[in-house]
Amino acid sequence: MKDLEELVKSYEQEMVETLSKLVSIKAVNVRSGEGQSEWDRVKFLEPILKEMGLDTKVVVAPDPLVPEGRPNLLAVLPGKDTSRTLWFIGHLDTVPAGDPSLWSHDPFEAHVEDGKIYGRGAEDNGQAVITSLFAVKALIEAGIKPNVNIGLAFVADEETGSEYGIIYLIQQGIFKSTDMAVVPDSGDSEGSFIEVAEKSMMWLKFKVMGKQTHASMPGSGINAHKIGMMFALSVDEALHDNFSDRDELFEPPFSTFEITKKEANVENINTIPGSDVFYMDMRILPDENLDDILRIIDEIRTYFEYEYKVRIQLEIIQRSDAPAPTDPEHPLVKTLASVIKETRGIEPKVGGIGGGTCAAPLRRVGIPSVVWATIDELAHQPDEYAKIENLTKDALVFAKLMSRME
Ligand SMILES: [Zn+2]
C-alpha cells in the first residue's frame, strides 16, 4: 500500500495546475450583479472526477436568471458501509473582483508567485475543491477503501445565500441524517481552529421621528437626535442585561449587541433634527431566541413613543437564526482533531465564530458539520491567494480523515 503522505506530495504540481485552471474559469455568482453560472467549472471538473473512477452526478437547481439552471456537481467513492457518507463541500461560485486597480494581476487569470496562487476564488473556495478532490485521488491510488462513503459536493450559489446550492441539495434529499460534512471554507493560517458552531446574527435599523425646529426654540419641536441617543442606550443596556449568558465555545463567549452606523441628520448646527437613524449589529449565542430580543426592543420602543411623543420605526436589515452547534465530542470533530495533531503537531481549538458557510444549512437539518481549512483568510479581498503548501497539507489531513472516519 502506498503512503498517503508521499502520494499527496507527488500531486503538488498537478494541484497547482488544476487550481490555476479553475481560477481562470470565471464563475462570479450571477446574483452579485455581474456574473455567470457555474457550468464551465462543472464541465472542467466532472471529467477529472470520472477519470479517477468516481460516479458523478450533476444536480441542477432551476434559477430564473440562468436558462440552463445552476449546477451542483456530486461524486461518491463507495465505502465498506455504503449507508453513510462523509461529505466534503466546496463552493464553485466566487464574489466579483471588486476594484480591479487594487489587484496586482488579472484577478481571473491565475498568477503563481512565491509559493502562492493568486486570483479571485483561489482561496474562497477553489482550495477546498482541489484539496478534497486530490485527497480522494490519494485514497484511491493508495488502495484504501474507506469505512464510509466519501462524497464530494461542489456546489453553486454559496456567495449569495445558497438557495441554488447546498439548500437545494438538502431539499432534494441528497443528504441523510446519518451523514457528516466537512466544509473547508474558513480557518486560520495554522489550521488550528475547528468551527463547530456559529452565532445568530441580526442587523437592525432604527428611525426615530420627532419634529424639526430652530435650535433656539426647542419647545416647538421634538429632538429626534437626543431622544434617539437615549433610546439607543436604553436598548443597548436592556439587551446586555437580559441576554448575558456565556458559552465558552465561542469567542467572545457571550452575545454582542453594538450600536454601529449613524446616518447624518441636519446640515447646520442651529437646527434641531426631526429624524434620527442608527443601526445595531448583533451576534447572538445560538441558545437565545431572536424573537425574545425583538420583543424587548418593542417594549422600549412603545415606552419611548408614549413618553417622548416620537415615532420609532424598526427595520430588520438581516436576520439569521443560528442552527444548533455540532457536538464538539462528535467522532467527526475528534477524528479531525487527532489527524491535525498527528500531521501538524498542534492541538486545534474547537469552537464557534463568524459563520455563514454551507455548514449552517447542514447543521439546521441535523447533519454534524465541521468547518476547517488552513488559509490566510483572504476571502473577498484583492490579491486573494491560496498557498501551495496548504494545498498538500490540507489534502493530507483530508485523506487521513477519509481513511479513518467510521
Ligand atoms: Zn466561501
Side-chain angles (χ1 to χ4, degrees):
M1 197 188 283
K2 283 191 196 161
D3 179 60
L4 282 176
E5 189 163 358
E6 273 169 37
L7 271 171
V8 169
K9 278 202 178 119
S10 75
Y11 299 150
E12 186 180 280
Q13 192 49 36
E14 206 184 337
M15 291 174 92
V16 172
E17 282 162 19
T18 313
L19 180 54
S20 297
K21 277 187 201 149
L22 191 72
V23 166
S24 306
I25 301 168
K26 234 177 146 177
V28 176
N29 192 304
V30 280
R31 268 153 215 284
S32 57
E34 54 170 271
Q36 50 284 116
S37 81
E38 296 84 357
W39 271 108
D40 287 345
R41 289 192 167 191
V42 166
K43 284 173 188 159
F44 167 64
L45 291 167
E46 192 175 20
I48 297 175
L49 296 167
K50 283 204 160 111
E51 181 87 357
M52 284 160 53
L54 299 173
D55 276 335
T56 63
K57 179 166 151 185
V58 181
V59 179
V60 182
D63 179 347
L65 281 190
V66 183
E68 63 277 26
R70 306 288 291 278
N72 294 275
L73 176 59
L74 308 178
V76 175
L77 174 69
K80 291 172 195 155
D81 169 6
T82 53
S83 71
R84 304 174 66 208
T85 304
L86 170 63
W87 291 95
F88 285 74
I89 317 284
H91 66 86
L92 297 170
D93 61 318
T94 75
V95 293
D99 182 354
S101 71
L102 297 175
W103 287 80
S104 310
H105 303 275
D106 182 350
F108 298 106
E109 256 333 302
H111 176 84
V112 182
E113 192 181 318
D114 294 337
K116 295 168 184 154
I117 302 160
Y118 290 86
R120 173 55 81 227
E123 177 198 290
D124 181 21
N125 199 219
Q127 180 171 322
V129 171
I130 299 305
T131 51
S132 55
L133 188 153
F134 279 87
V136 172
K137 189 180 165 85
L139 225 60
I140 294 170
E141 290 188 3
I144 296 170
K145 192 169 179 76
N147 299 311
V148 297
N149 297 335
I150 304 301
L152 298 175
F154 300 146
V155 301
D157 196 40
E158 194 272 343
E159 296 292 359
T160 63
S162 285
E163 196 187 330
Y164 306 96
I166 195 77
I167 292 173
Y168 186 77
L169 293 179
I170 291 168
Q171 287 163 351
Q172 296 304 303
I174 299 294
F175 307 106
K176 290 199 228 52
S177 59
T178 49
D179 287 354
M180 301 162 280
V182 178
V183 181
D185 200 9
S186 178
D188 62 23
S189 301
E190 275 74 48
S192 62
F193 190 81
I194 302 174
E195 190 234 78
V196 293
E198 57 190 79
K199 289 180 180 175
S200 298
M201 181 174 145
M202 193 152 62
W203 287 352
L204 299 179
K205 175 184 181 180
F206 296 93
K207 184 174 186 181
V208 181
M209 285 162 290
K211 189 170 174 238
Q212 182 172 315
T213 190
H214 194 283
S216 66
M217 303 291 286
S220 64
I222 299 170
N223 192 331
H225 182 32
K226 181 169 141 184
I227 297 163
M229 287 194 288
M230 288 157 55
F231 173 67
L233 291 174
S234 295
V235 170
D236 181 283
E237 196 185 333
L239 296 182
H240 283 102
D241 285 352
N242 281 282
F243 303 96
S244 56
D245 284 2
R246 291 177 72 88
D247 184 342
E248 299 302 329
L249 203 55
F250 291 90
E251 175 57 41
F254 43 80
S255 300
T256 59
F257 304 97
E258 287 301 310
I259 301 163
T260 54
K261 182 174 164 177
K262 174 88 176 67
E263 282 184 13
N265 47 33
V266 290
E267 296 284 315
N268 47 321
I269 298 170
N270 58 356
T271 300
I272 285 176
S275 82
D276 183 72
V277 178
F278 72 93
Y279 297 77
M280 288 187 81
D281 173 299
M282 309 176 174
R283 312 292 164 121
I284 305 134
L285 293 176
D287 284 347
E288 309 282 17
N289 184 336
L290 301 197
D291 290 323
D292 292 342
I293 291 170
L294 290 169
R295 204 167 303 123
I296 285 186
I297 291 173
D298 207 51
E299 281 168 19
I300 302 168
R301 187 176 70 91
T302 308
Y303 169 76
F304 267 76
E305 287 188 334
Y306 172 77
E307 187 68 23
Y308 297 100
K309 311 292 175 242
V310 289
R311 282 200 300 122
I312 302 174
Q313 268 176 11
L314 165 64
E315 188 185 335
I316 298 170
I317 303 288
Q318 198 180 150
R319 171 178 177 163
S320 142
D321 297 64
T326 291
D327 182 0
E329 301 299 318
H330 191 280
L332 174 62
V333 183
K334 291 284 176 205
T335 310
L336 176 59
S338 80
V339 169
I340 294 168
K341 190 174 179 191
E342 176 190 306
T343 52
R344 307 254 172 109
I346 51 173
E347 193 86 58
K349 215 179 147 241
V350 177
I353 34 163
T357 67
C358 286
L362 289 166
R363 287 184 190 132
R364 208 160 272 136
V365 294
I367 294 171
S369 304
V370 292
V371 179
W372 178 85
T374 312
I375 51 174
D376 289 348
E377 291 197 279
L378 290 153
H380 306 192
Q381 294 180 33
D383 283 343
E384 175 183 350
Y385 62 77
K387 266 191 190 157
I388 293 170
E389 63 170 309
N390 289 339
L391 297 181
T392 50
K393 281 167 73 184
D394 282 13
L396 178 60
V397 167
F398 291 154
K400 288 190 174 187
L401 178 64
M402 288 169 181
S403 71
R404 284 181 207 176
M405 202 61 227
E406 316 221 355

